[in-house]
Amino acid sequence: MRSPAGLALAFDGTLVVADSTGHQVWAVSPEGAPRLLAGSVSGYRDGPGGSALFRHPSDVAIGPDGTYYVADAGNHCIRAITSDGVVSTLAGSIYDYGDGRGPGGRFRQPLALDVDADGTCYVADTGNNAVRRIAPDGQVTTVAGSPPGGDADGVGVEVGLRWPTGIAVGHGGHLWVADHGNGAVRRIEQTGVSTTTLRLTGRRWPGAMALTPDGEVVVVAVVLDDVRLPQTCLTTAGVDR
């Protein structure tokens, strides 16, 4: 692997890794043995294993049926990988913004995603400053935010986001979003209502996020207190309820 960008832990303890600059998705066994799931060189193609092509995959999540979902950032789409390594495109096609089914749902550089217990996929559509929902049949709808973005709580497309880069599904079906460009963490209800739960100060910006088994919301932040020494840190944004 060249540049691991996104991780997900499978039910059997396998670690699934989106290798961004390697344009591949890997599985690492609990014993530490890596296995290529799909991808080879930069490109776009559905198909089995190494014949499938990605362009800078940035995140991966695992559905309740064991399907792997990949934020294929460079191809502006969301891909699905079956347990035996066959890749298909769930939604997305060209660099654009719009709701619709399959290729009719448009994304701009989606960088993060998560999947709920029903198999619905939620995407941090980074370039569109929005959070999108993909139903199991590939229907894309917008949960919150819209181009050109902003910085405000609200409802649905009125929510102002700026470069969301992390997302996690809460236990109640709500969403936690790392609003990178605004230095904030937002909680977004299924109705699209947004609440800011954390505002970082100084030269600190949230990047990725996850929930611990006990419901703590953990955020990875970029720290530039000294521009010559960029750092990262972990912080918490509350408890998921």
Side-chain angles (χ1 to χ4, degrees):
M1 284 175 276
R2 296 179 183 174
S3 180
L7 306 171
L9 189 64
F11 309 110
D12 63 355
T14 298
L15 186 66
V16 184
V17 184
D19 179 7
S20 180
T21 59
H23 314 291
Q24 297 169 326
V25 177
W26 291 78
V28 182
S29 72
E31 296 74 32
R35 172 175 61 91
L36 178 65
L37 280 176
S40 55
V41 297
S42 176
Y44 172 76
R45 183 167 62 215
D46 289 337
S51 69
L53 301 180
F54 300 89
R55 183 173 286 116
H56 297 296
S58 59
D59 198 14
V60 61
I62 302 172
D65 62 351
T67 299
Y68 307 123
Y69 295 89
V70 181
D72 189 1
N75 283 317
H76 316 294
C77 62
I78 305 303
R79 317 287 290 279
I81 309 176
T82 63
S83 57
D84 55 356
V86 177
V87 178
S88 60
T89 300
L90 177 62
S93 53
I94 61 174
Y95 182 84
D96 201 355
Y97 171 76
D99 292 340
R101 190 182 306 278
R106 306 292 175 80
F107 301 87
R108 289 187 175 120
Q109 198 176 3
L111 290 184
L113 78 173
D114 200 4
V115 182
D116 70 11
D118 297 324
T120 299
C121 189
Y122 294 90
V123 181
D125 187 5
T126 309
N128 280 319
N129 301 305
V131 173
R132 319 292 293 283
R133 177 191 292 116
I134 310 176
D137 65 356
Q139 179 68 40
V140 179
T141 55
T142 300
V143 178
S146 61
D151 184 4
D153 287 320
V155 182
V157 296
E158 299 174 356
V159 175
L161 303 173
R162 185 168 288 116
W163 280 83
T165 54
I167 192 167
V169 178
H171 295 135
H174 48 268
L175 305 172
W176 296 93
V177 177
D179 186 2
H180 179 85
N182 289 316
V185 173
R186 317 264 189 181
R187 173 176 164 141
I188 301 176
E189 309 299 331
Q190 286 289 316
T191 58
V193 175
S194 169
T195 304
T196 299
T197 63
L198 175 68
R199 182 77 69 166
L200 299 178
T201 59
R203 298 173 66 85
R204 291 171 168 83
W205 300 272
M209 64 191 325
L211 300 184
T212 66
D214 60 359
E216 192 170 34
V217 183
V218 179
V219 182
V220 179
V222 178
V223 179
L224 284 180
D225 291 338
D226 184 342
V227 295
R228 298 167 299 177
L229 297 170
Q231 298 174 306
T232 59
C233 70
L234 290 178
T235 188
T236 58
V239 178
D240 182 63
R241 293 187 176 93

